[in-house]
Amino acid sequence: MTTTVTLTPRSAAVLAVCGAVLGAALGLALTPLATWADRVGVPVPWFLDLLMRTPRWVEVAAPAVVAAVLGLWVWDEWRKETLSLTVEPDGLVVRHAGHGRYVPRTQIGTVHRDGDDLVVLDERGGQLVRADADVLLRRAAAALRDAGYPWSDDGDPYAAAWTTWVAGRPGTPSGADDLLARRRAAVAAKDHAAAQELAAALAAVGVAVRDRRGEQQVRTVGVR
């Protein structure tokens, strides 16, 4: 059986409805707010003044429509940055930040939660996938358990091995410092594609990487 875990249209509808309600409430409050502003000498922006010259229903409906559209935009941006996981009998299809990857089941050693991230490791502890699952984490974990994947209820089996990256630390594999410096710059620039490519390059030289409180943390694959 195949199961897909992703943000649903229902969540988009919820954000749109919440936005519409808040926008309508703002529209209803415009006249009282304008009256108060006039009394205390605060200038009313021209677009609000223009809106209050329209029929009452327009004064309420226009902010509701704008806020509903804003809610849908927020949902779309959220969807782009959040995990989409398809659990198949023979492997996982992981889509995140505009990129997709297939991970064969035979390569997977363990799957676990790390903060809001879903992490897939190979048998040696190499990081095959790290993706922000956000509100989908519980559903993703349930789908993986139901399909018989090796989910770790105890979290990261390598939790004690993470250290904050410092260039030149003894034991760092050759070439890793340069990749880590470039990845840090990509993360700062919000270049998710480059950051993912550099994480994959780091995995190839035996280094797993994650971000915590604005710092890169690393561990050498296979070391606990």
Side-chain angles (χ1 to χ4, degrees), residues 2 38-39 69 119 167 173 179 182 198:
T2 296
D38 184 62
R39 187 168 60 247
V69 171
V119 184
L179 293 170
R182 290 162 56 195
L198 289 162

Side-chain angles (χ1 to χ4, degrees), residues 182-192 194-195:
R182 290 162 56 195
R183 182 184 176 277
R184 182 170 61 183
V187 170
K190 300 187 184 300
D191 187 344
H192 301 296

